[in-house]
Amino acid sequence: MAQYDAALRQYLSKYKHPNETKADILKTINQYRDLRPSIDPFVFNDGTERQLVQLEGTIPVNYKGNTYNIPISIWVIDTHPYNPPMVFVKPTSTMQIKSGRYVDTNGKVDMLYIREWRHPTSDLLSLVQVLALVFGEECPVFSRASGPRPQQPLPYPGQPPYPNNPSSMPPYPGTTGVGPGYPGGYSAPGYPGYPNNQAGYPAAGYPSYPPQYPASSYPSGYPGQSGGYPPQFGTQPPYPPNSITTDGASDMSRLTQGGTVTEADLRASLLSAVEDKMKRRLRETFAQAQAEMDVLKKTQKDLTTGKERIEIIITELEKEKADIEKNIELLREKDNEVKEAIQKMESNQNLSIDDAVVTTTPLYRQLVDAFAEEQAIEDAIYYLGEALRKNVIELESFLKRVRELSRKQFMLRATIQKCREKAGLPPLA
């Protein structure tokens, strides 16, 4: 593929991601050598024209035990690989498009792989492989019936004409030049482009493309011309004949000798248009329903989470309520005890202070007695110092009494400390 490297570098000079696009194209044409890259003008339905790279050629398709070379054209847009390419089936003069689930009457391919294109999981090589699989299930072309026919048959409504000579193909809608008109006042309706981000295309900041049709002519190497496709797969069997019939009539695509469109052709075209419209409506309805379902699921999840949080709060409140009721009952009992003690003190006039202080255990009684005696010694030492200052007692008597009281005070403080440790009370500062 070295002969395409320099050409692709020139073709992709104005692309936003030239290196990634070139690698993707080279990987594809290395696997499918009948596909040849070129750069051609592409005219959109709004009249704008861009120079885009296209891969033209054939891909091998295994259909009902035979291998056919199906002609296709892949247009790579300038935001590749973040937006999907456009794929068309380009029949030769001996073929005719067979519309179905994946190909419309204009030859444009629309399938799930293109609609759900995502970089980097989607690439051109995988796209061609998927095309070969889906075309193997439903062949997009069939051979024309042999015999005399008009040199320029009129197309179906909505289908651009395909001339016998590829080099003289009239341009698609939006190009200069005028092709044969549609009968009965029908105009060629524009085929809608791929949905913009409907199936999760990464936007990447690039605008989506409008519906479009290629403006270039067929290459000179297609089957039906002198050269034909490269004989990669040996001698090919003829393309499968069309198997669609309507009300016992012959092939839908066969025109009358006068060159007019039959009623069966109009009916098939209308059915195809209605089918495409119904598919678009169903996709829109499904997308809307899916979005509403996602919103409802999120709301349900939020409500479930809120319910669990509320249940936890209710449980904590009930627990706090039980604790408060228990404390209220305890306070009432203590209040009654205090009231009884007050009444007893009021009725007893000759109340002893020592009898008023009642402890619950002997340890607390010992602690109270030691603390009271220690405080009394503290007061005695204070008054002895006042007496010495006023010369009431002599210094020798003062020192003797203070020494005795200090020794006793030390023992009492040691007793207090031991009692508090035994009772589990914090030590004195």
Side-chain angles (χ1 to χ4, degrees):
M1 296 297 105
Q3 67 271 24
Y4 295 124
D5 189 88
L8 285 175
R9 190 179 300 110
Q10 181 181 359
Y11 295 163
L12 302 173
S13 59
K14 296 184 179 180
Y15 275 54
K16 298 184 183 302
H17 309 282
N19 295 331
E20 297 178 8
T21 306
K22 186 180 76 170
D24 199 5
I25 293 175
L26 289 177
K27 183 174 64 174
T28 304
I29 62 180
N30 186 46
Q31 183 75 20
Y32 294 90
R33 299 183 180 274
D34 283 348
L35 296 177
R36 296 174 296 278
S38 62
I39 186 166
D40 295 290
F42 191 93
V43 180
F44 297 91
N45 282 357
D46 58 0
T48 58
E49 181 177 307
R50 290 177 183 264
Q51 294 290 331
L52 298 181
V53 175
Q54 69 165 327
L55 299 179
E56 284 187 304
T58 61
I59 59 173
V61 174
N62 190 349
Y63 181 72
K64 294 185 178 180
N66 296 321
T67 301
Y68 301 93
N69 286 336
I70 303 299
I72 64 169
S73 175
I74 301 176
W75 291 84
V76 182
I77 61 177
D78 55 2
T79 57
H80 189 85
Y82 292 95
N83 288 101
M86 300 166 289
V87 184
F88 293 88
V89 176
K90 302 182 70 173
T92 62
S93 58
T94 60
M95 307 176 196
Q96 187 166 338
I97 293 178
K98 178 182 177 182
S99 61
R101 291 180 297 169
Y102 309 111
V103 182
D104 65 2
T105 55
N106 296 324
K108 186 173 183 179
V109 179
D110 181 19
M111 59 184 181
L112 186 64
Y113 188 86
I114 298 177
R115 292 195 299 268
E116 295 186 354
W117 182 278
R118 289 185 179 88
H119 177 73
T121 57
S122 302
D123 54 24
L124 291 176
L125 179 59
S126 301
L127 172 63
V128 176
Q129 292 172 349
V130 173
L131 287 173
L133 291 176
V134 298
F135 289 168
E137 298 176 359
E138 186 176 309
C139 190
V141 294
F142 61 92
S143 59
R144 291 180 181 272
S146 60
R149 61 183 182 276
Q151 294 183 354
Q152 187 69 25
L154 294 177
Y156 303 147
Q159 177 180 352
Y162 295 99
N164 294 331
N165 185 10
S167 62
S168 62
M169 174 186 174
Y172 283 90
T175 60
T176 60
V178 180
Y182 293 93
Y186 284 96
S187 61
Y191 190 82
Y194 300 123
N196 184 19
N197 276 345
Q198 180 176 345
Y201 296 161
Y206 306 127
S208 60
Y209 280 85
Q212 43 323 70
Y213 299 95
S216 62
S217 302
Y218 295 114
S220 59
Y222 279 169
Q225 298 179 349
S226 59
Y229 283 117
Q232 180 179 356
F233 300 97
T235 304
Q236 301 295 333
Y239 284 88
N242 183 19
S243 59
I244 302 177
T245 58
T246 305
D247 297 332
S250 60
D251 295 341
M252 289 173 52
S253 61
R254 188 171 300 172
L255 304 178
T256 62
Q257 295 297 329
T260 60
V261 179
T262 63
E263 182 180 356
D265 297 333
L266 294 176
R267 181 173 179 271
S269 178
L270 291 175
L271 287 175
S272 177
V274 170
E275 182 182 3
D276 293 340
K277 188 172 183 179
M278 290 297 295
K279 286 180 179 179
R280 290 195 300 272
R281 292 286 180 87
L282 286 174
R283 283 196 295 266
E284 293 173 359
T285 304
F286 177 77
Q288 182 179 0
Q290 186 66 33
E292 294 177 356
M293 184 67 68
D294 293 340
V295 172
L296 291 176
K297 286 182 178 179
K298 186 177 183 302
T299 304
Q300 182 184 10
K301 182 179 179 181
D302 294 341
L303 291 175
T304 303
T305 305
K307 177 183 177 182
E308 294 175 354
R309 291 167 61 186
I310 291 175
E311 289 177 350
I312 293 174
I313 293 173
I314 291 176
T315 303
E316 293 177 353
L317 290 176
E318 290 178 350
K319 183 178 179 181
E320 292 179 0
K321 180 181 177 182
D323 294 339
I324 291 173
E325 291 178 351
K326 183 178 180 181
N327 293 333
I328 290 174
E329 186 68 24
L330 182 61
L331 288 174
R332 287 176 180 173
E333 295 177 357
K334 296 298 180 182
D335 183 61
N336 294 331
E337 293 179 1
V338 170
K339 289 180 179 178
E340 292 178 357
I342 292 174
Q343 291 178 357
K344 182 184 293 186
M345 292 174 63
E346 290 178 351
S347 61
N348 191 358
Q349 299 295 332
N350 299 323
L351 181 63
S352 174
I353 299 300
D354 294 332
D355 295 336
V357 179
V358 179
T359 58
T360 57
T361 60
L363 179 63
Y364 291 150
R365 165 57 64 183
Q366 183 181 5
L367 178 61
V368 171
D369 293 342
F371 183 77
E373 189 174 356
E374 189 269 337
Q375 292 296 315
I377 292 174
E378 186 74 23
D379 293 340
I381 294 174
Y382 171 76
Y383 285 110
L384 284 174
E386 287 295 317
L388 179 64
R389 187 174 62 83
K390 295 178 180 181
N391 295 322
V392 176
I393 61 175
E394 295 179 357
L395 178 59
E396 185 179 355
S397 299
F398 170 78
L399 293 175
K400 181 179 179 180
R401 298 300 301 173
V402 167
R403 190 181 300 112
E404 293 175 357
L405 292 174
S406 297
R407 188 180 295 109
K408 189 173 183 181
Q409 185 183 33
F410 175 80
M411 297 302 296
L412 291 173
R413 286 183 177 180
T415 303
I416 292 173
Q417 189 67 27
K418 285 291 184 181
C419 291
R420 294 183 70 86
E421 290 177 2
K422 294 293 184 180
L425 300 174
L428 294 175

